Each structure stands twice: as structure tokens, then as C-alpha cells.
Amino acid sequence: PVFDLLSSRVYVSTEEGEILAVDPINGSVVGPSFSVGQRITSAPTIADGKLLVATNDAAIFGFDLNSGAALPWSPIVIGGSVEGDTTVANSILYVASADGFLYGIDINDGSRAFYAKVDEGTLLTAPIIAPDGSILIATNTQKLIAYAPADDRAPKWVAEVGFLVSKSTPVIVGDAEEWTAYVPATQPPSTGVITAISSKGELQWKAEVPGRIETAAAIGGGRIFVSTDNQDAMAFEIGAPVHRDL
């Protein structure tokens, strides 16, 4: 789900192809809601008064939040289904697709602003934007890849994560000068791994935890929090692979 500050509504997508507007206080469904007629497994994104969503049927839809009308360019068909969430930066919607491409769509006119062949494998995680504007995407072929926003010809760097990257999206700590991406992953059959990659694509540290990590990490109070399928929650100190059981 995604929260819209202007309307104070939560927008939730369903596998039946609906995007519902929900009152966060009482949980009631309020209008307008939206329908795309295609299966959705990713959360919608809100930017510049627009609601945007990508589907499992390889399409991107956009709606005007005020009127509820579809945007003139909607829908756009891309080369593969979308299972992970999407990201907007500077009016560009970044979408990772099952065809191994990372798409950037201008949400104002629907034109393609970014198009990169990222990986031979299916992309399951959401693209994320680093503090310096870099676009990061984790792959299920054990890589974290960074692109400059104005250059889709070749990545800035490729970091080997070394373990299977699940649908868990990396999180970032730092500023435009220096930042670190923390990548949650799983080493089959049942070991979780947190990998810290610097803004230059260099490995900073790696730590293992018992159990598979299949959700995104969270950050707060100088720590990184992860949960595992063993029903454990753990916290890592930022900057060092020292964890505390919660």
C-alpha cells in the first residue's frame, strides 16, 4: 500500500486488478478507486498528483488522482510482467520487469526516458534511488547494479552479492557524498544474508543469520532490522556486522 499525504488516503492494490482508496482511520473503502482488469502484485506509486501501477500482464497504468480519469498515455505495454514495486524520481517511473529490463517512463507524457538490459534473469525487486541519484536494482542472479539516471547504456558498477536475492528490496543509508546499500538475501536452503555495498560498489561487510530473509529490511536508530522465516527479528549496527537478537 501507499499513503497519499494530500488526500490522507491509503491506496491498496489487489490481485483482482483493483486499486482501492482506504480511510486509514476506520478502514472503510472510499472513492475514487481504480480498475485495470489485470492481476497486480505490486504496490501502487503516487507522484505529482498521479497514481501509477504496473501489472503482471506487462502493462503500466496511470490515473489522475483528482478526477480518477486515466492519463492520456495509459496504458503502456512493456516486455515482461512486473512483480516488484515501482519507484518515481524526477517524474520518471522506474519499473523492473521479468524480461530483465529496467524501464524508465516519463509520467507526464508516457515517453520512455530510460531503458537498460540489466540481467538475463527475472527482476523481482523494486528499483531504488540512492542519495546521489543513482538507480539501484538487485537481481536474482546475485548482483546489485547501479546506473546513472541520465545514462542507460552501461551500469556505473556491478557488485557481486554472492547469494540469491529474493524479493527483498535493498535499503540505503547515507548522503549524496557517501552512502551504503544493505541488501537482504537468502543462501539456500535456509540462511539469511545481509550484504553492505558502498556507493562505489565495494563490499563493506557481510553477515549471516539463521533463517531465510524474504522481506525488506528497515532502518532506525542507527540499526538495520530484518526478520526471518524462523520468526526471529534481528538488528545490525550500521557500519559493522554486529547483530542483536530482538
Side-chain angles (χ1 to χ4, degrees):
V2 61
F3 180 71
D4 178 37
L5 288 173
L6 294 179
S7 65
S8 295
R9 292 172 176 167
V10 177
Y11 288 88
V12 181
S13 55
T14 73
E15 292 192 5
E16 289 71 35
E18 303 289 331
I19 303 99
L20 307 177
V22 178
D23 186 309
I25 303 300
N26 58 31
S28 63
V29 176
V30 294
S33 294
F34 307 90
S35 178
V36 300
Q38 298 181 12
R39 185 171 182 260
I40 305 171
T41 56
S42 62
T45 300
I46 290 176
D48 303 337
K50 301 174 178 66
L51 184 141
L52 310 147
V53 68
T55 74
N56 290 162
D57 291 335
I60 301 170
F61 291 82
F63 299 90
D64 184 292
L65 271 177
N66 292 323
S67 68
L71 299 176
W73 54 260
S74 176
I76 290 175
V77 177
I78 58 175
S81 65
V82 179
E83 297 189 27
D85 296 342
T86 58
T87 303
V88 173
N90 299 317
S91 297
I92 305 299
L93 178 73
Y94 292 98
V95 181
S97 171
D99 64 356
F101 280 86
L102 179 61
Y103 296 82
I105 305 298
D106 189 314
I107 64 175
N108 295 311
D109 59 16
S111 61
R112 193 170 69 188
F114 188 95
Y115 181 67
K117 178 63 172 177
V118 175
D119 199 77
E120 295 303 324
T122 298
L123 301 177
L124 298 176
T125 65
I128 56 174
I129 309 300
D132 63 357
S134 298
I135 309 153
L136 303 185
I137 182 72
T139 76
N140 63 349
T141 54
Q142 306 179 18
K143 299 180 181 70
L144 180 68
I145 302 175
Y147 288 88
D151 187 1
D152 56 10
R153 294 170 298 177
K156 293 170 58 177
W157 48 257
V158 177
E160 295 290 337
V161 179
F163 297 99
L164 174 66
V165 176
S166 68
K167 294 180 71 173
S168 304
T169 299
V171 293
I172 292 179
V173 175
D175 54 33
E177 295 297 323
E178 186 175 358
W179 48 265
T180 300
Y182 297 92
V183 187
T186 292
Q187 177 188 12
S190 58
T191 300
V193 181
I194 294 288
T195 304
I197 304 292
S198 76
S199 53
K200 297 179 176 61
E202 299 168 345
L203 174 67
Q204 293 184 325
W205 56 261
K206 183 179 293 183
E208 295 185 357
V209 298
R212 298 172 62 90
I213 302 174
E214 297 180 342
T215 61
I219 292 176
R223 296 177 181 174
I224 307 154
F225 299 87
V226 296
S227 60
T228 72
D229 64 354
N230 287 347
Q231 301 182 354
D232 293 325
M234 300 180 183
F236 289 81
E237 302 289 344
I238 289 177
V242 178
H243 80 266
R244 303 172 185 270
D245 296 331
L246 300 180

